[in-house]
Amino acid sequence: MTLGSTVSGTTPAADFDALIIGAGFSGLYQLYCLRDRLGLSAQVLEAGDGVGGTWYWNRYPGARCDSESHSYCYTFSKELLEEWEWSERYPEQPEIMRYLNHVTDRFDLRRDIRFGTRVTTARFDDAANRWTVETEAGERYSATYLITAVGCLSSTNIPKIPGLEDFKGEWYHTGLWPHGGVDFAGKRVGQIGTGSTGIQAVPVIAETAKHLTVFQRTANYSIPAHNAPLKPEFKRYVKENHPAIRELMHSTANGHPFAIEDRSAHDLTPEQREAVYEAAWAKGGLQFRASFRDLLVDKAANDTAADFLKRKIREIVKDPQTAAKLSDIDHPFATKRPPIDSNYFGTYNRPNVSLVDVRAAPIERITPTGIVTRDGASYDLDVIVFATGFDAMTGPLLSIDITGRDGQSLKDTWSAGPRTYLGLQVAGFPNLFTVTGPGSPSVLCNMPVAIEQHVEWITDCIAHLRASGVKRIEASADAADQWVDEVNAAANATLLPLANHSWYLGANVPGKPRVFMPYAGGMARYRGICNDVAAKGYEGFVLSR
């Protein structure tokens, strides 16, 4: 590290080969690859006071991963795989944090992470061929390569409901949960939102709250997690079969450790199909989606799964009116993020839980004492919980003022929606890499699999640039345009766009362009495309010496 020249009113810039923004799964592995494999000087800048990324901030009641634990981890280190042991099928937030802290300490990553350092601006200096980054505290850093590892779900979405500032009680967003927790005992709680986060939070909040009122705009499917401690024989199986498990995850569309069944929902009789769904329901988890190969491409096939799941909701929930609201689902199964749960629907059978349909009667305003809906109903509350999700995928990047070549602003470049090449680079922003950026499989995939692929591709790319004497790499505008077309084509080949209120489209954030952001062509196919691009001398990128 060296200190650069000073600018009036600022501190000297600390110079590195690479700067990495974010210390979650992506940032930690990127630091390890650049520092320990390539021998570069690299620094991670992290807004939080610890590692963990999304898991550092998301400490809400019931926060738990929906990928099975033996697949929700790094696979780059045989020793790490052998020494770490998960305790449950689906790890809870504290256990994931213990894992990431273990990784950080095992590979001595902490010494190259600056905590409590929120990046506010990043500007490319064309003449110097360097990125200059400034922080909220006025610190300045400089590097040849800038890698954003800011996560896809890290920019909270707090709806602008009139009167929130007048509310006399407490309010929280699940994505910015107090690290000391929240005591709901004896309190009237209102939760807004029933996506995957809300579905996890409801059963836990209901256990201690005096009363929980859930405000539902969009009814959702959910499949039981059937979470349980891992049995010794399964732990032994995992330790003995890491290479095969990794190979399976790399060969599947979603990066999970199970294959999609090679059969159509139309191949079976209704009775046979029902038996398949019953078995998948009994097993629980995201593997339900893998029951048939055509659930996400054939509406009639999807209807068979959707009808089964709606029937299950009506069987579980005793009150017919509540059951009707919860099963009035307006989109095909798995076209929005498909949650898994621990007694979500059963929680509505508790006497201290009620459901309000805010599609029928939207929230009008928040008052000093609670919430009023458009039909005039008033709900007295002591606590409001916003389980309203995130400004997904683009929000974390656009929260930083990023300026590329010729004064080009990322906000302006993406004003009509994100445009990337492979989700890795943006035309006009040399030497800027975006880990799991828009246009990559990212949120449609088991995230550690997507993260490792991106980090390793970026690392290999930088190694190639340095070995070849190439000073900068930038996505060409034509390649980015063609990739946006490919992303749209991949989405349109599925049923995913039919959920027109999905955060995959940015529909949960008012004013955000409606563009399908992740690549829906599958992680295995995407990996092949990226490998082919690199093998052809980084086709579609402009390399400058």
Side-chain angles (χ1 to χ4, degrees):
M1 183 189 80
T2 59
L3 293 181
S5 59
T6 60
V7 177
S8 177
T10 63
T11 59
D15 294 338
F16 296 89
D17 293 322
L19 288 171
I20 302 159
I21 306 175
F25 266 94
S26 302
L28 294 176
Y29 188 38
Q30 188 69 77
L31 172 60
Y32 172 80
C33 286
L34 295 181
R35 189 193 71 181
D36 294 20
R37 291 183 179 172
L38 300 190
L40 303 188
S41 63
Q43 184 85 6
V44 175
L45 306 178
E46 166 57 48
D49 291 328
V51 301
T54 187
W55 296 106
Y56 175 86
W57 303 104
N58 284 261
R59 298 165 183 252
Y60 59 86
R64 191 181 294 275
C65 186
D66 57 10
S67 293
E68 295 187 61
S69 57
H70 70 288
S71 70
Y72 197 76
C73 55
Y74 296 114
T75 63
F76 69 86
S77 165
K78 180 176 181 286
E79 294 75 20
L80 179 61
L81 285 167
E82 290 177 347
E83 71 194 20
W84 182 264
E85 197 170 86
W86 295 101
S87 67
E88 295 182 288
R89 183 182 181 188
Y90 296 101
E92 201 173 10
Q93 182 269 346
E95 187 168 20
I96 298 171
M97 285 292 289
R98 286 195 297 275
Y99 172 73
L100 290 173
N101 275 285
H102 170 75
V103 171
T104 302
D105 294 334
R106 192 194 191 287
F107 297 103
D108 192 23
L109 301 178
R110 212 174 295 273
R111 63 183 165 91
D112 290 307
I113 304 172
R114 289 291 303 272
F115 295 109
T117 304
R118 183 176 295 278
V119 172
T120 53
T121 65
R123 287 180 166 75
F124 182 71
D125 184 332
D126 195 61
N129 195 46
R130 292 183 73 78
W131 282 92
T132 298
V133 166
E134 293 192 14
T135 72
E136 204 169 53
E139 302 160 307
R140 297 175 68 243
Y141 298 83
S142 169
T144 303
Y145 308 104
L146 177 61
I147 299 104
T148 61
V150 293
C152 301
L153 301 172
S154 57
S155 183
T156 53
N157 173 43
I158 301 173
K160 293 179 171 61
I161 301 174
L164 177 58
E165 66 281 359
D166 299 323
F167 183 58
K168 300 299 184 186
E170 308 160 23
W171 68 268
Y172 308 95
H173 189 285
T174 51
L176 288 173
W177 203 257
H179 287 199
V182 177
D183 183 7
F184 295 109
K187 294 180 179 177
R188 300 163 299 176
V189 182
Q191 178 179 300
I192 301 173
T194 54
S196 54
T197 295
I199 282 172
Q200 287 185 333
V202 160
V204 182
I205 294 174
E207 288 176 1
T208 58
K210 179 181 180 181
H211 193 274
L212 172 62
T213 304
V214 181
F215 296 86
Q216 172 190 277
R217 182 187 63 178
T218 304
N220 264 318
Y221 305 96
S222 189
I223 297 154
H226 297 314
N227 187 51
L230 294 176
K231 295 179 179 179
E233 53 267 34
F234 183 78
K235 292 181 181 180
R236 189 164 54 251
Y237 160 78
V238 169
K239 287 190 184 297
E240 293 172 356
N241 292 277
H242 283 305
I245 294 169
R246 186 175 192 265
E247 180 60 32
L248 176 58
M249 292 193 297
H250 282 197
S251 68
T252 61
N254 300 113
H256 288 286
F258 51 79
I260 296 172
E261 295 291 340
D262 187 19
R263 63 190 174 196
S264 166
H266 304 302
D267 289 343
L268 306 184
T269 66
E271 294 76 20
Q272 291 170 327
R273 200 165 50 229
E274 186 80 2
V276 167
Y277 287 140
E278 283 288 358
W281 178 271
K283 184 171 186 178
L286 294 176
Q287 196 166 350
F288 189 98
R289 295 181 300 175
S291 298
F292 299 100
R293 65 170 179 263
D294 49 357
L295 293 186
L296 210 54
V297 295
D298 182 318
K299 180 64 165 56
N302 190 286
D303 285 345
T304 66
D307 291 345
F308 174 86
L309 294 170
K310 291 173 184 177
R311 288 200 310 273
K312 283 294 185 185
I313 296 170
R314 291 191 290 268
E315 288 172 11
I316 294 168
V317 181
K318 305 306 180 189
D319 177 65
Q321 289 185 325
T322 302
K325 293 175 186 175
L326 289 166
S327 60
D328 184 20
I329 305 172
D330 65 356
H331 54 278
F333 167 62
T335 54
K336 296 183 69 173
R337 180 177 175 139
I340 62 175
D341 70 89
S342 296
N343 196 39
Y344 173 65
F345 295 114
T347 298
Y348 288 96
N349 294 326
R350 296 177 62 111
N352 68 326
V353 178
S354 56
L355 181 69
V356 176
D357 179 1
V358 294
R359 176 162 291 176
I363 293 174
E364 188 76 28
R365 66 186 183 279
I366 295 173
T367 70
T369 57
I371 287 176
V372 174
T373 51
R374 192 169 295 173
D375 59 359
S378 179
Y379 303 89
D380 292 335
L381 303 170
D382 303 303
V383 181
I384 298 175
V385 173
F386 290 98
T388 47
F390 303 88
D391 184 352
M393 302 195 71
T394 57
L397 288 164
L398 295 180
S399 67
I400 303 169
D401 181 11
I402 301 176
T403 305
R405 180 170 44 80
D406 304 323
Q408 188 174 339
S409 161
L410 187 63
K411 286 186 176 70
D412 292 341
T413 303
W414 285 2
S415 60
R419 305 185 74 78
T420 73
Y421 183 37
L422 302 174
L424 283 160
Q425 276 210 322
V426 184
F429 296 79
N431 291 349
L432 170 67
F433 296 94
T434 54
V435 181
T436 62
S440 72
S442 59
V443 294
L444 298 180
C445 182
N446 178 25
M447 285 304 298
V449 174
I451 286 166
E452 283 193 330
Q453 184 270 334
H454 257 205
V455 167
E456 289 164 6
W457 192 96
I458 291 167
T459 302
D460 290 344
C461 178
I462 291 175
H464 171 80
L465 299 179
R466 292 172 67 83
S468 307
V470 174
K471 293 184 177 179
R472 67 171 70 172
I473 183 171
E474 176 186 335
S476 78
D478 286 345
D481 288 344
Q482 290 169 18
W483 184 246
V484 169
D485 290 342
E486 176 67 21
V487 170
N488 287 329
N492 290 330
T494 73
L495 304 176
L496 287 164
L498 296 183
N500 59 14
H501 42 60
S502 167
W503 57 258
Y504 293 156
L505 289 158
N508 62 321
V509 178
K512 187 169 180 174
R514 297 288 185 97
V515 177
F516 197 86
M517 293 181 284
Y519 174 68
M523 187 66 217
R525 183 170 187 271
Y526 174 82
R527 185 187 300 275
I529 293 170
C530 290
N531 290 345
D532 190 50
V533 164
K536 292 179 178 177
Y538 294 91
E539 185 178 58
F541 293 92
V542 179
L543 281 63
S544 306
R545 283 180 165 78

